Amino acid sequence: MSGMDDALTTVTLKVNRFTPRPERDRGARGGSPFAKKGGSPFGGGASRNRRPRGKQWVQEYTLQVRPEDTVLDCLLTIKRTVDPTLAFRYSCGHGMCGSDAVAINGTPTLLCTATVADWAEHPNPLAQADEEGFRHTGSAEDGIADDTDVSNAEDGLGVIELAPLPGFPVQRDLIADIDPMLDQIRKLKPYLQADGVLATTREGKVDVFEYLQNPQQLAKYETLTNCIACGVCEGSCPVFAGGDAFIGPAALIAASRFVNDSRDTATMARLNAIDTADGVAACQSVRACSRQCPRGIDVGEEMWQIVARVKER
């Protein structure tokens, strides 16, 4: 136990907190006639796409942790021993469900796969104020090498800033409302659509291997099946904003998964569904969606491929 205690160090979590204000029932008081219908008649968006109102503040928590602990471990410690009001979402805790996507130091990623050592930011040891009050960060030529290990600094590991996933309405604290993304995925019918004709053997019996594929056919979409709809690619996309302006990379990945499936017979319908102003036409090819995918999908490349399929029709 003493060895474990010696490995502990200090980290500070700066958490963006948000407590929503209760919604008023304006329809009951004779307010806007469109309030009961869920939004403005001009925008057509649901009320959840509006920026929620409430109390916002940044709260700091200082913990004794191990460098290999995950940020999720830190939040669970805070929830259980420090502040039970802190709200965040998680499920499996192993990077498989995608429910705990947030912005860590401004970068969309999963809480359960982010270690404290990798994400704790230190004040720059080179930063010093001159006589005029300006701070100079310096460089490696000033006498400190680029590979300087700041993890052993006396003030602990540093600071980690946490915020809800960008591009989505905030429900509470670190919990973002990802329903807009899931709604866009549902629009593209993310399930296999076959012709319904049962394959038969030479003897006239139903072939139990009617959907059997060779390895080459499987390889075309196998990587895409790893998508867990965590929303990290959407939070990284500068075009997606949780509404109807852009259907988003997650929905296009879901469509691409079945477009590349040799068993699916609705390819043309799927391509027509994404060949719209808010579909592939809205993609600006920034490829920011590829940078932080926790499942290793090159989302930007897959977007290029699906755009090419649309143009080839």
Side-chain angles (χ1 to χ4, degrees):
M1 291 297 293
S2 60
M4 293 181 62
D5 294 339
D6 293 340
L8 293 178
T9 186
T10 302
V11 67
T12 298
L13 271 62
K14 291 186 176 180
V15 183
N16 283 264
R17 303 290 304 273
F18 173 75
T19 300
R21 180 184 303 171
E23 291 289 340
R24 296 179 180 178
D25 188 3
R26 296 184 177 182
R29 296 187 177 184
S32 171
F34 302 105
K36 296 181 179 180
K37 299 181 180 180
S40 168
F42 306 104
S47 58
R48 67 168 177 240
N49 290 332
R50 297 179 304 174
R51 183 177 179 179
R53 297 181 178 181
K55 180 181 178 182
Q56 302 183 44
W57 75 101
V58 176
Q59 190 162 349
E60 295 187 8
Y61 303 93
T62 301
L63 303 173
Q64 292 291 317
V65 300
R66 296 171 299 175
E68 63 270 22
D69 287 342
T70 66
V71 181
L72 177 60
D73 292 331
C74 297
L75 291 179
L76 289 174
T77 299
I78 295 172
K79 182 78 171 180
R80 294 165 179 167
T81 64
V82 180
D83 185 358
T85 67
L86 181 61
F88 55 93
R89 183 189 290 123
Y90 79 100
S91 184
C92 73
H94 297 285
M96 298 299 295
C97 69
S99 62
D100 61 346
V102 300
I104 303 181
N105 297 338
T107 301
T109 189
L110 301 183
L111 289 170
C112 59
T113 60
T115 63
V116 173
D118 289 339
W119 289 92
E121 291 186 346
H122 269 274
N124 193 324
L126 296 174
Q128 296 179 353
D130 59 18
E131 295 179 357
E132 298 180 356
F134 293 98
R135 297 178 67 85
H136 300 280
T137 58
S139 63
E141 287 77 16
D142 295 331
I144 297 182
D146 290 338
D147 58 352
T148 301
D149 185 7
V150 297
S151 62
N152 294 323
E154 295 181 357
D155 57 347
L157 283 172
V159 177
I160 298 177
E161 297 185 3
L162 300 176
L165 194 64
F168 297 92
V170 183
Q171 291 182 323
R172 189 180 185 91
D173 294 342
L174 299 177
I175 300 177
D177 182 4
I178 63 172
D179 281 349
M181 176 187 70
L182 300 179
D183 289 342
Q184 298 286 26
I185 294 176
R186 293 188 188 99
K187 289 180 182 178
L188 300 183
K189 300 179 180 180
Y191 48 84
L192 187 68
Q193 299 183 63
D195 53 16
V197 178
L198 296 178
T200 58
T201 63
R202 294 180 180 178
E203 292 77 17
K205 297 181 180 180
V206 174
D207 188 355
V208 294
F209 298 111
E210 60 174 317
Y211 291 138
L212 187 65
Q213 292 180 308
N214 59 46
Q216 291 75 25
Q217 292 172 323
L218 175 62
K220 289 184 178 181
Y221 70 90
E222 185 175 21
T223 301
L224 301 178
T225 64
N226 292 329
C227 177
I228 54 179
C230 60
V232 167
C233 60
E234 312 255 323
S236 303
C237 178
V239 182
F240 181 82
D244 296 328
F246 179 35
I247 198 170
L252 292 178
I253 284 296
S256 183
R257 177 258 180 272
F258 292 101
V259 166
N260 287 281
D261 195 328
S262 61
R263 303 166 298 175
D264 193 87
T265 58
T267 298
M268 293 306 297
R270 296 184 189 279
L271 295 178
N272 289 333
I274 62 177
D275 188 14
T276 58
D278 64 345
V280 294
C283 178
Q284 301 298 312
S285 303
V286 179
R287 300 184 76 119
C289 50
S290 296
R291 297 173 186 169
Q292 300 297 327
C293 178
R295 303 300 294 166
I297 301 175
D298 190 344
V299 182
E301 177 61 26
E302 295 299 334
M303 299 278 280
W304 272 102
Q305 296 293 336
I306 195 67
V307 170
R309 290 291 299 272
V310 171
K311 294 180 178 180
E312 289 174 357
R313 285 180 306 148

